[in-house]
C-alpha cells in the first residue's frame, strides 16, 4: 500500500528520482506506473484476506484488518488530494497542514502499527492505542520529512534537491513560517503569491527562500513539533501491555523516525 502511494505520488509531483533510483514513471511511462500502483493497492487487501484462510486469523479479525487498511487508504488519498490543492494556494494554515499530513502519511502508519494486533485478535482498546501511536509517529515522520524536503541533501534523501520549494509545497515549515507574521514571513508570503517563475526558480533563489523560512521560525517550529508528536506517540504505546522486547522494537522505530533529520 505504501509503495502504491509512492508510485502515484512521484508521477503527480513529476519527481524523477526516488531512493536514489529513477522513478517508475520515467522508466516505464505514466500509464504503467498508474497501473502498477493500482495493482499494489489491490494486493494489499488480498494479503489480509489470505490471512483468514492460510494464516490462522479468524474471518472476523481479517475483516477488521481489511476495513482498517481501506480506511487508511481513503484517508491517504484525501490527504494527497489536499496536498495537490495546496500547491495552488498562496497560504495554508498550520492546522490545515496537519490535517493534510494526518491523511497523507499518519493514516497509513497508524494502520501499520495496529494491523498485526488486529490479525492476532487483540481487543479494540489495544488496537486503538497502537493506532494512536502510529498516528502521532506518522505526524512526527512527516514533520521530519518536511524538514528534509527543504534542507536535506539529495545524496541522503534520494529525492531532488529543493524539490518541495520548487513545487511551492505548503509543508509544515512553510505553514509555520507564514503564520509567524514578521518581516521574513511577509516576504515569503509575497514570493509564494507571485506566479512569475513558478517551478523555474534558480538554486540561489530557492536557497534564499529556505533562509526566509528559517528566519521566520519555520524550521525550529517543525523540529519541536516532531519531538512533540514523538513524545505523544510513546505515551500511547505505554497504554498497551506487551513484552519488553516488543516494546523496545516499537521505541526504536519511533526514535529512528525523529533522528533522521539530525
Amino acid at each position: 500500500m505504501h509503495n502504491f502511494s509512492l508510485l502515484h505520488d512521484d508521477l503527480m509531483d513529476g519527481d524523477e528520482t526516488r531512493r536514489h533510483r529513477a522513478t517508475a514513471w520515467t522508466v516505464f511511462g505514466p500509464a504503467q506506473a498508474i497501473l502498477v500502483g493500482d495493482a499494489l493497492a489491490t494486493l494489499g487487501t488480498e494479503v489480509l484476506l489470505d490471512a483468514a484462510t492460510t494464516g490462522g486469523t479468524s474471518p472476523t479479525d481479517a475483516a477488521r484488518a481489511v476495513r482498517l487498511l481501506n480506511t487508511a487508504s481513503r484517508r491517504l488519498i484525501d490527504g494527497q488530494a489536499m496536498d495537490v490543492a495546496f500547491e495552488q494556494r498562496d497560504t495554508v494554515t498550520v492546522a490545515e497542514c496537519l490535517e493534510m499530513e494526518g491523511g497523507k502519511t499518519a493514516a497509513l502508519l497508524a494502520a501499520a502499527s495496529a494491523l498485526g494486533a488486529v490479525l492476532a485478535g487483540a481487543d479494540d482498546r489495544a488496537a486503538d492505542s497502537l493506532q494512536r501511536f502510529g498516528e502521532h509517529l506518522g505526524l512526527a515522520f512527516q514533520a521530519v520529512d518536511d524538514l528534509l524536503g527543504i534542507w536535506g541533501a539529495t545524496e541522503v534523501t534520494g529525492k531532488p534537491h529543493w524539490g518541495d520549494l520548487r513545487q511551492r509545497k505548503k509543508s509544515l515549515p512553510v505553514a509555520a513560517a507564514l503564520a509567524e507574521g514578521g518581516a521574513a514571513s511577509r516576504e515569503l508570503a509575497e514570493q509564494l503569491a507571485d506566479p512569475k517563475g513558478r517551478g523555474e526558480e534558480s538554486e540561489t533563489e530557492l536557497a534564499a527562500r529556505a533562509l526566509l523560512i528559517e528566519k521566520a521560525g519555520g524550521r525550529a517550529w517543525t523540529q519541536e513539533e516532531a519531538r512533540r508528536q514523538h513524545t505523544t506517540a510513546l505515551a500511547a504505546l505505554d497504554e498497551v501491555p506487551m513484552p519488553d522486547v516488543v516494546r523496545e522494537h516499537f521505541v526504536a522505530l519511533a526514535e529512528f523516525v525523529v533522528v533522521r533529520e539530525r
Side-chain angles (χ1 to χ4, degrees), residues 137 140-141 144 223 225-231 253-262:
L137 189 58
F141 179 94
V144 172
Q223 288 170 329
E225 178 65 7
R227 287 190 286 268
R228 190 185 74 80
Q229 294 291 352
H230 171 260
T231 300
L253 173 64
E255 180 67 15
F256 168 75
V257 162
V258 296
V259 300
R260 289 182 304 144
E261 198 261 342
R262 292 204 291 268

Side-chain angles (χ1 to χ4, degrees), residues 15-222:
D15 287 342
E16 297 183 353
T17 58
R18 166 78 68 175
R19 299 169 181 166
H20 309 286
R21 299 174 65 182
T23 48
W25 73 269
T26 66
V27 178
F28 303 104
Q32 291 286 29
I34 292 170
L35 289 170
V36 172
D38 292 345
L40 287 171
T42 302
L43 284 168
T45 300
E46 286 185 23
V47 167
L48 295 181
L49 292 174
D50 286 346
T53 56
T54 62
T57 298
S58 74
T60 299
D61 290 332
R64 289 171 64 204
V66 169
R67 178 178 291 278
L68 177 62
L69 186 64
N70 282 353
T71 299
S73 179
R74 174 178 52 75
R75 285 187 60 200
L76 181 154
I77 294 167
D78 286 345
Q80 183 67 13
M82 293 175 70
D83 192 25
V84 172
F86 287 173
E87 291 178 27
Q88 306 305 315
R89 289 173 49 179
D90 295 337
T91 62
V92 169
T93 67
V94 170
E96 287 176 318
C97 190
L98 286 170
E99 180 185 358
M100 176 270 291
E101 296 189 344
K104 184 177 116 172
T105 302
L108 207 58
L109 221 162
S113 297
L115 274 173
V118 169
L119 289 170
D123 59 32
D124 287 342
R125 182 174 177 276
D128 289 346
S129 295
L130 287 168
Q131 266 192 273
R132 282 190 287 108
F133 164 79
E135 182 85 18
H136 290 289
L137 189 58
L139 287 169
F141 179 94
Q142 188 59 54
V144 172
D145 212 53
D146 287 349
L147 291 165
L148 293 173
I150 296 176
W151 293 282
T154 299
E155 58 269 22
V156 175
T157 66
K159 298 179 181 180
H161 193 45
W162 305 125
D164 284 0
L165 291 183
R166 202 178 303 277
Q167 292 172 288
R168 301 195 183 185
K169 281 187 174 292
K170 306 306 185 296
S171 59
L172 271 180
V174 175
L178 290 171
E180 189 267 342
S185 176
R186 291 192 296 273
E187 185 176 348
L188 175 65
E190 290 174 5
Q191 287 188 14
L192 294 176
D194 187 354
K196 295 180 182 178
R198 180 182 287 269
E200 300 175 0
E201 292 96 336
S202 68
E203 292 286 306
T204 301
E205 289 172 320
L206 293 173
R209 184 170 299 164
L211 184 59
L212 281 178
I213 295 169
E214 188 160 7
K215 285 182 176 179
R219 185 174 190 172
W221 186 93
T222 305

